[in-house]
Amino acid sequence: MNDLPQDSEDTATGGLTDDHQRTQPGELQDGPPKVALGHTMPEVGRVPVLAPSLQGLASQGGALRHSTLARGMAFSGSAVVVGSLTVAGEVTGQLSLPAPANGHVTVTETGVVEGDISARNISVLGRTNGLLDAPGGKVSLHGTASVTGRIRYTHLQVNGADLNAQLERVRADADGSAG
């Protein structure tokens, strides 16, 4: 079947049939904007725009960003993240939130990290194997957590986690370098 207009009447209406809703510029309509054949884009005033404040991106005021690795997704390599990070998927490699940011890494119940995490604050509800490095910050291990490796912390909270790690307390005024 050919979608192109066949007669002069169809051509004059832009190829729209009577079952398509027509609106005047600026008039609201139900559902997504209808675009006549031969036209490329709907009117700019009707195009949805994402608001940065709703998406967790940093605004001019300096609010933190928030990134998420969703359940079912996997990442291999090293990542430097600005802001906070939630890991619900699988990571193989290093995750780093640069100092002096107050970012937070959360490994959810479905999250798995095989590698090092370096951040001011770290919460683990899932599984980690490697270094959890939070000098000057806090590491929280929850009841569903399974942690293997080494933990560098200033404050440590353990709530029934499966913990098989070497613990190293770091003074709050330390620069975070290994000593």
Side-chain angles (χ1 to χ4, degrees):
M1 180 171 180
N2 189 356
D3 289 333
L4 296 175
Q6 298 300 320
D7 58 23
S8 60
E9 184 178 327
D10 283 343
T11 305
T13 62
L16 288 176
T17 60
D18 289 334
D19 61 334
H20 286 86
Q21 181 179 4
R22 292 183 178 87
T23 60
Q24 297 299 321
E27 184 179 335
L28 296 177
Q29 67 180 18
D30 293 333
K34 305 283 192 255
V35 179
L37 293 176
H39 293 254
T40 57
M41 293 292 294
E43 294 175 35
V44 176
R46 295 186 346 208
V47 175
V49 178
L50 297 176
S53 62
L54 299 176
Q55 301 302 313
L57 300 176
S59 64
Q60 298 294 346
L64 284 180
R65 299 173 186 228
H66 185 89
S67 302
T68 301
L69 180 70
R71 182 179 185 173
M73 296 186 73
F75 172 81
S76 294
S78 297
V80 177
V81 179
V82 175
S84 295
L85 173 66
T86 299
V87 178
E90 297 180 19
V91 173
T92 303
Q94 276 64 29
L95 298 174
S96 177
L97 277 66
N102 288 325
H104 194 107
V105 174
T106 302
V107 180
T108 68
E109 291 91 344
T110 60
V112 177
V113 177
E114 293 286 334
D116 300 342
I117 300 173
S118 177
R120 177 125 177 124
N121 297 295
I122 302 170
S123 293
V124 181
L125 293 94
R127 207 165 33 99
T128 65
N129 184 5
L131 171 66
L132 300 181
D133 192 14
K138 180 177 181 179
V139 175
S140 299
L141 307 177
H142 300 271
T144 56
S146 176
V147 178
T148 303
R150 183 173 167 216
I151 301 173
R152 296 185 72 232
Y153 65 94
T154 298
H155 302 283
L156 177 66
Q157 176 182 356
V158 181
N159 296 327
D162 178 15
L163 179 60
N164 183 16
Q166 176 187 3
L167 303 177
E168 178 185 346
R169 185 164 190 268
V170 180
R171 289 190 349 217
D173 60 348
D175 64 354
S177 60

